[in-house]
Amino acid sequence: MPNPLVNPTHDPELRSWVGSANDRATDFPIQNLPFGRFRAAEGDRTGVAIGELIVDLTGASAAGLFAGAAAEAAKAGAQGLDQLARLGLPAASALRFALSTMLVDGSRHRTGIEPFLREQRGTDMLLPMPVRHFTDMCVSTFHIGRRRGTDSNGQPLCPPAMRHIPVGYDGRPGSVVVSGSPVRRPWGTWQHPEGEGEPQFGPEPRLDYELEIGIWLAGTGKDGGSTTTIGEASEAIFGYGLLNDWSARGIQFFETMLGPFLGKSIATTVSPWIVTSEAVAPFRIPAFVRPPCDPPVPVHLDDADDRHAGGLAIALEAAIESAAMREAGLPPHRVCATDFRHMYWTPAQMIAHHASNGCVVAAGDLIGTGTCSGPDPAEAACLLERNFGGPWQLPGGETRGWLEDGDRVLLRGRLERPGYVPIGLGTAEGLIEPALQVFG
Protein backbone atom coordinates (compact mmCIF):
# COMPACT_ATOMS: atom_id res chain seq x y z
CA MET A 1 0.00 0.00 0.00
CA PRO A 2 1.47 3.42 -0.95
CA ASN A 3 2.45 5.63 1.96
CA PRO A 4 0.06 8.62 1.83
CA LEU A 5 2.59 10.76 3.71
CA VAL A 6 5.24 10.39 0.99
CA ASN A 7 5.24 13.16 -1.64
CA PRO A 8 7.44 14.43 -4.50
CA THR A 9 9.97 15.94 -2.07
CA HIS A 10 10.94 12.37 -1.11
CA ASP A 11 11.60 11.27 -4.71
CA PRO A 12 14.88 9.30 -4.61
CA GLU A 13 15.73 10.55 -8.09
CA LEU A 14 15.92 14.18 -6.96
CA ARG A 15 19.39 15.72 -7.13
CA SER A 16 20.49 19.19 -6.12
CA TRP A 17 22.72 21.71 -7.86
CA VAL A 18 24.44 21.90 -4.44
CA GLY A 19 27.01 19.19 -5.09
CA SER A 20 27.61 18.16 -1.45
CA ALA A 21 23.89 17.37 -1.08
CA ASN A 22 24.30 14.49 -3.55
CA ASP A 23 26.91 12.68 -1.48
CA ARG A 24 25.33 9.44 -0.28
CA ALA A 25 26.99 9.91 3.12
CA THR A 26 25.52 13.36 3.82
CA ASP A 27 22.87 13.78 6.48
CA PHE A 28 21.31 16.61 4.51
CA PRO A 29 20.37 15.64 0.95
CA ILE A 30 17.62 17.55 -0.83
CA GLN A 31 15.16 14.97 0.54
CA ASN A 32 15.81 16.24 4.09
CA LEU A 33 15.96 20.08 4.34
CA PRO A 34 15.89 20.47 8.15
CA PHE A 35 15.41 23.82 9.90
CA GLY A 36 17.75 25.47 12.41
CA ARG A 37 18.98 28.81 13.76
CA PHE A 38 22.44 30.32 13.39
CA ARG A 39 24.36 33.45 14.30
CA ALA A 40 25.58 35.80 11.59
CA ALA A 41 27.02 39.31 11.35
CA GLU A 42 23.52 40.50 10.44
CA GLY A 43 22.07 38.93 13.61
CA ASP A 44 20.48 35.62 14.48
CA ARG A 45 18.99 33.90 11.43
CA THR A 46 16.86 30.91 10.47
CA GLY A 47 18.52 28.45 8.12
CA VAL A 48 17.92 25.25 6.19
CA ALA A 49 20.66 22.62 5.83
CA ILE A 50 21.49 21.37 2.33
CA GLY A 51 24.63 19.22 2.04
CA GLU A 52 27.51 21.18 3.59
CA LEU A 53 25.71 24.52 3.17
CA ILE A 54 22.98 26.54 4.88
CA VAL A 55 20.23 28.45 3.14
CA ASP A 56 19.76 31.79 4.92
CA LEU A 57 15.97 31.58 5.11
CA THR A 58 15.73 34.94 6.86
CA GLY A 59 17.56 36.66 4.02
CA ALA A 60 15.71 34.78 1.30
CA SER A 61 12.37 35.67 2.85
CA ALA A 62 13.28 39.36 3.11
CA ALA A 63 14.27 39.28 -0.57
CA GLY A 64 10.76 38.10 -1.48
CA LEU A 65 11.83 34.80 -3.00
CA PHE A 66 8.74 32.91 -1.81
CA ALA A 67 5.10 33.16 -2.82
CA GLY A 68 1.73 32.14 -1.41
CA ALA A 69 1.64 29.85 1.61
CA ALA A 70 5.41 29.39 1.43
CA ALA A 71 5.92 33.13 1.73
CA GLU A 72 3.78 33.30 4.87
CA ALA A 73 5.64 30.32 6.35
CA ALA A 74 9.05 31.77 5.45
CA LYS A 75 8.16 35.11 7.02
CA ALA A 76 7.11 33.39 10.25
CA GLY A 77 10.13 31.10 10.23
CA ALA A 78 12.48 34.03 9.70
CA GLN A 79 11.29 35.42 13.05
CA GLY A 80 11.90 32.09 14.81
CA LEU A 81 11.11 28.43 14.31
CA ASP A 82 8.58 28.55 17.13
CA GLN A 83 6.61 30.99 14.97
CA LEU A 84 6.73 28.61 12.02
CA ALA A 85 5.77 25.69 14.27
CA ARG A 86 2.75 27.62 15.54
CA LEU A 87 1.39 27.71 11.98
CA GLY A 88 1.30 23.91 11.94
CA LEU A 89 2.58 21.19 9.63
CA PRO A 90 0.90 22.40 6.37
CA ALA A 91 2.87 25.65 6.55
CA ALA A 92 6.17 23.86 7.12
CA SER A 93 5.31 21.49 4.26
CA ALA A 94 4.60 24.36 1.85
CA LEU A 95 7.92 25.99 2.72
CA ARG A 96 9.85 22.75 2.44
CA PHE A 97 8.32 22.09 -1.01
CA ALA A 98 9.24 25.59 -2.19
CA LEU A 99 12.83 25.10 -1.00
CA SER A 100 13.00 21.74 -2.76
CA THR A 101 11.97 23.32 -6.08
CA MET A 102 14.60 26.04 -5.63
CA LEU A 103 17.44 23.65 -4.77
CA VAL A 104 16.71 20.84 -7.24
CA ASP A 105 19.14 20.36 -10.11
CA GLY A 106 18.10 22.49 -13.07
CA SER A 107 15.90 24.82 -11.02
CA ARG A 108 15.11 28.17 -12.63
CA HIS A 109 15.22 29.66 -9.11
CA ARG A 110 18.95 28.94 -8.63
CA THR A 111 20.16 32.47 -9.39
CA GLY A 112 17.71 33.86 -6.83
CA ILE A 113 18.50 31.55 -3.90
CA GLU A 114 22.25 30.96 -4.49
CA PRO A 115 23.38 34.29 -2.94
CA PHE A 116 21.76 33.19 0.33
CA LEU A 117 23.92 30.09 0.76
CA ARG A 118 26.76 29.94 3.30
CA GLU A 119 29.07 27.24 4.66
CA GLN A 120 27.94 25.17 7.63
CA ARG A 121 31.52 24.72 8.74
CA GLY A 122 32.48 27.43 11.18
CA THR A 123 28.91 28.67 11.60
CA ASP A 124 27.77 29.30 15.17
CA MET A 125 24.59 27.27 15.55
CA LEU A 126 21.91 28.18 18.11
CA LEU A 127 19.05 26.38 19.82
CA PRO A 128 16.57 25.59 17.03
CA MET A 129 13.74 27.28 18.94
CA PRO A 130 13.03 28.58 22.44
CA VAL A 131 12.04 25.72 24.75
CA ARG A 132 8.62 26.43 26.28
CA HIS A 133 8.49 23.18 28.26
CA PHE A 134 10.73 20.11 28.43
CA THR A 135 9.48 16.65 29.33
CA ASP A 136 11.68 13.56 29.42
CA MET A 137 9.96 10.21 28.94
CA CYS A 138 11.11 6.65 29.57
CA VAL A 139 9.85 4.38 26.81
CA SER A 140 12.51 1.66 26.45
CA THR A 141 11.68 -1.44 28.46
CA PHE A 142 15.17 -2.68 27.61
CA HIS A 143 16.75 0.33 29.33
CA ILE A 144 14.83 -0.33 32.53
CA GLY A 145 15.03 -4.10 32.29
CA ARG A 146 18.79 -4.19 31.93
CA ARG A 147 19.02 -2.98 35.51
CA ARG A 148 16.27 -5.25 36.80
CA GLY A 149 16.53 -8.48 34.79
CA THR A 150 13.65 -10.38 33.18
CA ASP A 151 10.26 -11.57 34.40
CA SER A 152 8.76 -15.08 34.27
CA ASN A 153 7.90 -14.55 30.59
CA GLY A 154 11.46 -13.63 29.69
CA GLN A 155 10.53 -9.97 29.17
CA PRO A 156 12.41 -6.97 30.62
CA LEU A 157 11.36 -6.47 34.23
CA CYS A 158 9.80 -3.01 34.52
CA PRO A 159 7.49 -1.17 36.90
CA PRO A 160 3.90 -2.15 35.97
CA ALA A 161 2.97 1.38 34.92
CA MET A 162 5.53 1.36 32.11
CA ARG A 163 3.57 -1.20 30.09
CA HIS A 164 0.26 0.59 30.71
CA ILE A 165 1.27 4.19 29.93
CA PRO A 166 4.28 6.21 28.70
CA VAL A 167 5.97 7.53 31.83
CA GLY A 168 8.11 10.64 32.21
CA TYR A 169 8.89 13.74 34.24
CA ASP A 170 8.89 17.47 33.60
CA GLY A 171 12.43 18.69 33.13
CA ARG A 172 14.11 22.08 33.17
CA PRO A 173 13.77 24.11 29.92
CA GLY A 174 16.57 26.47 30.96
CA SER A 175 19.07 23.60 30.98
CA VAL A 176 18.53 22.75 27.30
CA VAL A 177 21.61 23.75 25.25
CA VAL A 178 22.63 23.35 21.64
CA SER A 179 25.25 20.87 20.43
CA GLY A 180 28.80 22.06 21.09
CA SER A 181 27.97 23.73 24.38
CA PRO A 182 30.31 22.58 27.19
CA VAL A 183 28.91 20.54 30.06
CA ARG A 184 30.28 21.43 33.49
CA ARG A 185 30.69 18.60 36.00
CA PRO A 186 28.26 19.52 38.78
CA TRP A 187 28.67 19.61 42.52
CA GLY A 188 26.08 17.75 44.53
CA THR A 189 25.28 15.40 47.39
CA TRP A 190 25.96 11.75 46.65
CA GLN A 191 26.87 8.49 48.29
CA HIS A 192 29.16 5.73 47.15
CA PRO A 193 27.51 2.78 45.36
CA GLU A 194 25.67 0.27 47.53
CA GLY A 195 25.16 2.99 50.16
CA GLU A 196 28.70 2.74 51.49
CA GLY A 197 29.96 5.55 53.69
CA GLU A 198 28.34 8.82 54.62
CA PRO A 199 26.76 11.08 52.00
CA GLN A 200 29.13 13.81 50.88
CA PHE A 201 28.96 17.04 48.92
CA GLY A 202 31.43 17.26 46.08
CA PRO A 203 31.96 17.00 42.32
CA GLU A 204 29.77 14.29 40.77
CA PRO A 205 31.83 11.07 40.40
CA ARG A 206 29.43 9.15 38.10
CA LEU A 207 28.65 11.43 35.18
CA ASP A 208 26.71 9.76 32.36
CA TYR A 209 25.12 10.46 29.00
CA GLU A 210 21.75 9.27 27.68
CA LEU A 211 21.22 8.73 23.95
CA GLU A 212 17.69 9.91 23.10
CA ILE A 213 15.53 11.41 20.39
CA GLY A 214 14.09 14.89 20.88
CA ILE A 215 10.57 15.57 19.58
CA TRP A 216 9.77 19.23 18.82
CA LEU A 217 6.07 20.11 18.86
CA ALA A 218 3.98 22.32 16.60
CA GLY A 219 0.65 24.13 16.85
CA THR A 220 -0.95 26.56 19.26
CA GLY A 221 -2.20 23.94 21.74
CA LYS A 222 -5.70 23.23 23.01
CA ASP A 223 -7.32 25.01 25.90
CA GLY A 224 -6.37 23.62 29.31
CA GLY A 225 -8.55 20.67 30.25
CA SER A 226 -8.86 19.36 26.69
CA THR A 227 -7.40 16.02 25.67
CA THR A 228 -5.53 15.06 22.50
CA THR A 229 -6.22 12.09 20.24
CA ILE A 230 -3.46 9.99 18.70
CA GLY A 231 -4.19 11.52 15.30
CA GLU A 232 -3.98 15.05 16.70
CA ALA A 233 -0.77 14.12 18.53
CA SER A 234 0.82 12.94 15.29
CA GLU A 235 -0.11 16.25 13.65
CA ALA A 236 1.50 18.08 16.58
CA ILE A 237 5.00 16.78 15.81
CA PHE A 238 6.99 19.52 14.06
CA GLY A 239 10.12 17.40 13.83
CA TYR A 240 12.89 15.39 15.42
CA GLY A 241 16.47 15.78 16.57
CA LEU A 242 19.07 14.15 18.79
CA LEU A 243 18.99 14.67 22.54
CA ASN A 244 21.49 13.88 25.30
CA ASP A 245 19.95 14.12 28.76
CA TRP A 246 23.16 14.23 30.81
CA SER A 247 22.85 12.45 34.15
CA ALA A 248 24.72 12.81 37.42
CA ARG A 249 24.10 9.28 38.66
CA GLY A 250 25.51 9.75 42.15
CA ILE A 251 23.32 12.79 42.82
CA GLN A 252 20.36 11.19 41.02
CA PHE A 253 20.31 7.97 43.03
CA PHE A 254 20.82 9.65 46.38
CA GLU A 255 18.18 12.36 45.96
CA THR A 256 15.45 10.47 44.07
CA MET A 257 12.42 10.36 46.31
CA LEU A 258 9.91 12.67 44.63
CA GLY A 259 11.49 12.26 41.21
CA PRO A 260 14.46 13.59 39.21
CA PHE A 261 15.94 16.86 40.47
CA LEU A 262 19.55 18.12 40.48
CA GLY A 263 20.89 14.87 39.06
CA LYS A 264 19.00 15.53 35.83
CA SER A 265 19.15 19.33 35.47
CA ILE A 266 22.83 19.71 34.60
CA ALA A 267 22.32 20.10 30.86
CA THR A 268 20.29 18.60 28.04
CA THR A 269 22.11 18.81 24.71
CA VAL A 270 20.12 18.89 21.46
CA SER A 271 21.26 18.78 17.85
CA PRO A 272 20.93 22.11 16.01
CA TRP A 273 18.72 20.88 13.17
CA ILE A 274 15.03 19.91 13.36
CA VAL A 275 14.27 17.23 10.78
CA THR A 276 10.60 17.73 9.98
CA SER A 277 7.99 15.05 10.50
CA GLU A 278 7.34 15.25 6.75
CA ALA A 279 10.99 14.47 5.96
CA VAL A 280 10.91 11.29 8.08
CA ALA A 281 7.63 10.01 6.58
CA PRO A 282 9.28 7.32 4.38
CA PHE A 283 10.96 5.84 7.46
CA ARG A 284 7.82 5.27 9.53
CA ILE A 285 7.28 1.67 10.56
CA PRO A 286 4.71 -0.29 12.61
CA ALA A 287 4.60 0.37 16.33
CA PHE A 288 6.59 -1.92 18.61
CA VAL A 289 4.98 -5.37 18.72
CA ARG A 290 3.97 -6.14 22.28
CA PRO A 291 4.49 -9.64 23.67
CA PRO A 292 1.20 -11.53 24.17
CA CYS A 293 1.72 -11.47 27.94
CA ASP A 294 1.63 -7.66 28.05
CA PRO A 295 -1.49 -5.62 28.86
CA PRO A 296 -3.52 -4.18 25.97
CA VAL A 297 -2.90 -0.64 24.77
CA PRO A 298 -5.20 1.70 26.75
CA VAL A 299 -8.12 3.15 24.81
CA HIS A 300 -6.77 6.71 24.70
CA LEU A 301 -3.52 5.48 23.11
CA ASP A 302 -4.88 2.90 20.67
CA ASP A 303 -5.15 3.91 17.02
CA ALA A 304 -5.09 1.79 13.86
CA ASP A 305 -2.92 4.23 11.88
CA ASP A 306 -0.46 4.50 14.76
CA ARG A 307 -0.23 0.72 15.02
CA HIS A 308 0.43 0.54 11.28
CA ALA A 309 3.01 3.32 10.95
CA GLY A 310 3.51 5.12 14.27
CA GLY A 311 7.05 3.90 14.88
CA LEU A 312 10.29 5.15 13.38
CA ALA A 313 13.42 3.37 12.20
CA ILE A 314 16.32 5.57 13.29
CA ALA A 315 19.79 4.04 13.60
CA LEU A 316 21.46 5.71 16.60
CA GLU A 317 24.98 5.67 17.96
CA ALA A 318 27.03 7.25 20.70
CA ALA A 319 30.79 7.75 20.64
CA ILE A 320 33.32 9.00 23.19
CA GLU A 321 36.53 10.90 22.51
CA SER A 322 38.89 11.43 25.44
CA ALA A 323 41.41 14.22 25.78
CA ALA A 324 44.22 11.69 25.30
CA MET A 325 42.56 10.37 22.13
CA ARG A 326 42.34 13.90 20.70
CA GLU A 327 45.99 14.50 21.47
CA ALA A 328 46.91 11.22 19.76
CA GLY A 329 44.73 11.98 16.74
CA LEU A 330 42.45 9.01 17.37
CA PRO A 331 38.84 9.17 16.15
CA PRO A 332 35.89 9.00 18.57
CA HIS A 333 35.20 5.47 19.80
CA ARG A 334 31.68 4.12 19.32
CA VAL A 335 30.27 2.79 22.60
CA CYS A 336 26.66 2.15 21.54
CA ALA A 337 24.70 1.36 18.36
CA THR A 338 20.95 1.02 18.75
CA ASP A 339 17.70 1.82 16.93
CA PHE A 340 14.62 3.83 17.81
CA ARG A 341 12.44 0.96 16.52
CA HIS A 342 12.88 -0.73 19.92
CA MET A 343 10.84 1.91 21.78
CA TYR A 344 7.75 0.49 23.52
CA TRP A 345 5.62 3.60 22.88
CA THR A 346 5.34 5.70 19.71
CA PRO A 347 5.94 9.46 19.58
CA ALA A 348 2.21 10.10 19.11
CA GLN A 349 1.38 7.94 22.14
CA MET A 350 3.85 9.91 24.26
CA ILE A 351 2.22 13.20 23.29
CA ALA A 352 -1.37 11.97 23.58
CA HIS A 353 -0.76 10.61 27.06
CA HIS A 354 1.08 13.77 28.08
CA ALA A 355 -2.04 15.77 27.18
CA SER A 356 -4.56 13.22 28.51
CA ASN A 357 -5.03 15.07 31.79
CA GLY A 358 -5.63 18.40 30.06
CA CYS A 359 -1.99 19.52 30.04
CA VAL A 360 -1.46 22.00 27.18
CA VAL A 361 1.18 20.99 24.63
CA ALA A 362 2.16 23.49 21.94
CA ALA A 363 4.93 24.86 19.73
CA GLY A 364 8.16 25.19 21.68
CA ASP A 365 7.53 22.07 23.73
CA LEU A 366 10.34 19.53 23.63
CA ILE A 367 9.86 15.88 24.53
CA GLY A 368 12.81 13.59 25.15
CA THR A 369 12.09 9.92 24.54
CA GLY A 370 14.31 8.63 27.31
CA THR A 371 17.30 6.35 26.82
CA CYS A 372 16.91 4.50 23.50
CA SER A 373 18.40 1.15 24.54
CA GLY A 374 17.70 -1.98 22.54
CA PRO A 375 17.67 -5.63 23.65
CA ASP A 376 21.34 -6.42 22.98
CA PRO A 377 24.08 -5.33 25.44
CA ALA A 378 25.77 -3.46 22.56
CA GLU A 379 22.59 -1.37 22.35
CA ALA A 380 22.94 -0.06 25.91
CA ALA A 381 22.43 3.67 25.36
CA CYS A 382 24.01 4.99 28.58
CA LEU A 383 27.00 4.10 30.74
CA LEU A 384 24.81 2.99 33.62
CA GLU A 385 23.89 -0.01 31.47
CA ARG A 386 27.25 -0.34 29.72
CA ASN A 387 29.01 -0.66 33.08
CA PHE A 388 27.22 -3.88 34.04
CA GLY A 389 30.06 -5.72 32.33
CA GLY A 390 32.61 -3.89 34.47
CA PRO A 391 35.16 -1.24 33.42
CA TRP A 392 35.88 -1.06 29.70
CA GLN A 393 38.63 0.36 27.53
CA LEU A 394 38.97 3.16 25.05
CA PRO A 395 41.55 3.05 22.23
CA GLY A 396 44.96 3.77 23.65
CA GLY A 397 44.34 1.71 26.77
CA GLU A 398 42.35 4.16 28.91
CA THR A 399 39.83 2.52 31.23
CA ARG A 400 36.37 3.96 31.70
CA GLY A 401 33.36 3.43 33.90
CA TRP A 402 31.97 6.96 33.90
CA LEU A 403 32.71 10.12 31.95
CA GLU A 404 35.89 11.94 32.88
CA ASP A 405 36.85 15.59 32.46
CA GLY A 406 37.90 16.25 28.88
CA ASP A 407 35.68 13.50 27.43
CA ARG A 408 33.55 14.50 24.47
CA VAL A 409 30.34 12.57 23.78
CA LEU A 410 28.97 12.58 20.24
CA LEU A 411 25.50 11.32 19.28
CA ARG A 412 24.45 10.57 15.72
CA GLY A 413 21.24 9.41 14.06
CA ARG A 414 20.43 8.23 10.55
CA LEU A 415 17.31 7.02 8.75
CA GLU A 416 17.64 4.51 5.92
CA ARG A 417 15.15 2.42 3.94
CA PRO A 418 15.40 0.64 0.58
CA GLY A 419 13.99 2.80 -2.19
CA TYR A 420 14.66 6.12 -0.44
CA VAL A 421 17.63 8.42 -0.02
CA PRO A 422 19.03 8.17 3.54
CA ILE A 423 18.78 11.26 5.72
CA GLY A 424 20.39 12.12 9.06
CA LEU A 425 19.80 14.10 12.21
CA GLY A 426 23.26 15.63 12.32
CA THR A 427 25.16 15.39 15.61
CA ALA A 428 24.72 16.35 19.25
CA GLU A 429 27.95 16.68 21.16
CA GLY A 430 29.24 18.05 24.41
CA LEU A 431 32.63 18.27 26.15
CA ILE A 432 32.90 17.60 29.89
CA GLU A 433 34.59 20.45 31.75
CA PRO A 434 35.95 20.14 35.30
CA ALA A 435 33.82 21.14 38.26
CA LEU A 436 34.29 24.70 39.41
CA GLN A 437 36.46 24.97 42.51
CA VAL A 438 34.11 27.19 44.50
CA PHE A 439 33.43 25.08 47.59
CA GLY A 440 36.95 24.68 48.88
Side-chain angles (χ1 to χ4, degrees):
M1 176 183 298
N3 186 339
L5 301 175
V6 172
N7 61 46
T9 65
H10 302 110
D11 185 348
E13 299 301 318
L14 290 183
R15 295 293 182 271
S16 176
W17 49 264
V18 177
S20 59
N22 302 320
D23 185 339
R24 187 77 176 178
T26 184
D27 278 351
F28 308 124
I30 194 170
Q31 290 81 1
N32 192 346
L33 302 180
F35 295 100
R37 293 280 291 176
F38 65 95
R39 182 155 289 146
E42 309 92 325
D44 295 351
R45 323 280 279 184
T46 297
V48 177
I50 176 74
E52 296 176 357
L53 304 181
I54 300 173
V55 178
D56 177 358
L57 183 66
T58 301
S61 174
L65 297 189
F66 302 96
E72 181 185 359
K75 183 178 180 180
Q79 299 169 23
L81 289 179
D82 55 329
Q83 299 304 309
L84 175 59
R86 285 179 64 85
L87 296 181
L89 302 192
S93 178
L95 179 54
R96 185 171 168 274
F97 179 77
L99 287 160
S100 180
T101 61
M102 291 176 173
L103 295 166
V104 71
D105 196 22
S107 173
R108 62 185 177 87
H109 302 286
R110 174 173 177 172
T111 56
I113 195 73
E114 194 164 17
F116 297 97
L117 292 179
R118 62 180 71 208
E119 294 285 340
Q120 281 192 46
R121 185 183 298 275
T123 297
D124 186 10
M125 298 302 297
L126 308 171
L127 267 181
M129 70 171 76
V131 181
R132 193 182 80 100
H133 289 304
F134 171 53
T135 299
D136 200 41
M137 312 292 280
C138 183
V139 296
S140 168
T141 56
F142 302 108
H143 168 58
I144 298 300
R146 202 165 336 262
R147 288 181 275 166
R148 297 167 177 259
T150 56
D151 61 20
S152 59
N153 296 301
Q155 298 301 315
L157 191 60
C158 303
M162 192 170 180
R163 285 190 165 87
H164 286 273
I165 55 172
V167 295
Y169 69 93
D170 286 332
R172 184 173 172 82
S175 294
V176 180
V177 297
V178 73
S179 176
S181 302
V183 177
R184 178 76 64 181
R185 183 179 299 275
W187 285 71
T189 302
W190 46 269
Q191 195 171 23
H192 284 287
E194 312 302 329
E196 299 171 0
E198 291 296 317
Q200 57 184 292
F201 182 77
E204 168 61 57
R206 287 171 274 169
L207 198 57
D208 200 355
Y209 74 90
E210 289 188 349
L211 169 55
E212 307 186 19
I213 290 292
I215 304 170
W216 294 92
L217 300 194
T220 56
K222 289 186 172 184
D223 294 335
S226 299
T227 57
T228 299
T229 68
I230 289 289
E232 290 169 332
S234 184
E235 289 295 313
I237 300 174
F238 182 66
Y240 301 86
L242 295 163
L243 186 148
N244 184 346
D245 197 37
W246 303 90
S247 299
R249 299 300 189 189
I251 299 171
Q252 178 188 0
F253 293 146
F254 181 73
E255 73 181 3
T256 298
M257 183 179 71
L258 296 178
F261 185 39
L262 298 183
K264 300 289 284 184
S265 63
I266 317 154
T268 298
T269 299
V270 296
S271 50
W273 298 106
I274 300 179
V275 176
T276 64
S277 58
E278 181 177 71
V280 307
F283 310 97
R284 292 176 66 159
I285 59 174
F288 183 83
V289 178
R290 293 165 172 249
C293 56
D294 282 10
V297 177
V299 63
H300 71 297
L301 300 179
D302 193 19
D303 177 87
D305 289 340
D306 197 60
R307 289 196 302 272
H308 174 68
L312 275 173
I314 309 177
L316 298 167
E317 65 176 52
I320 294 177
E321 170 198 80
S322 70
M325 291 170 62
R326 281 195 298 279
E327 187 175 342
L330 296 174
H333 176 67
R334 191 173 74 179
V335 293
C336 166
T338 182
D339 199 290
F340 191 69
R341 69 175 64 243
H342 298 307
M343 300 306 100
Y344 194 81
W345 299 98
T346 68
Q349 286 174 323
M350 297 179 215
I351 297 165
H353 183 68
H354 197 324
S356 64
N357 70 342
C359 172
V360 176
V361 292
D365 286 3
L366 173 63
I367 294 179
T369 60
T371 310
C372 294
S373 298
D376 191 89
E379 297 171 299
C382 66
L383 298 183
L384 177 65
E385 297 177 59
R386 172 69 187 259
N387 290 345
F388 288 156
W392 41 278
Q393 284 194 333
L394 289 171
E398 294 178 272
T399 300
R400 281 294 184 278
W402 304 100
L403 296 174
E404 296 188 5
D405 296 344
D407 286 351
R408 187 189 305 274
V409 178
L410 303 95
L411 308 185
R412 299 184 179 91
R414 195 160 172 85
L415 300 91
E416 298 189 12
R417 189 172 194 169
Y420 295 97
V421 173
I423 66 174
L425 301 179
T427 61
E429 60 181 84
L431 177 73
I432 306 300
E433 293 188 342
L436 293 173
Q437 300 302 309
V438 294
F439 294 107

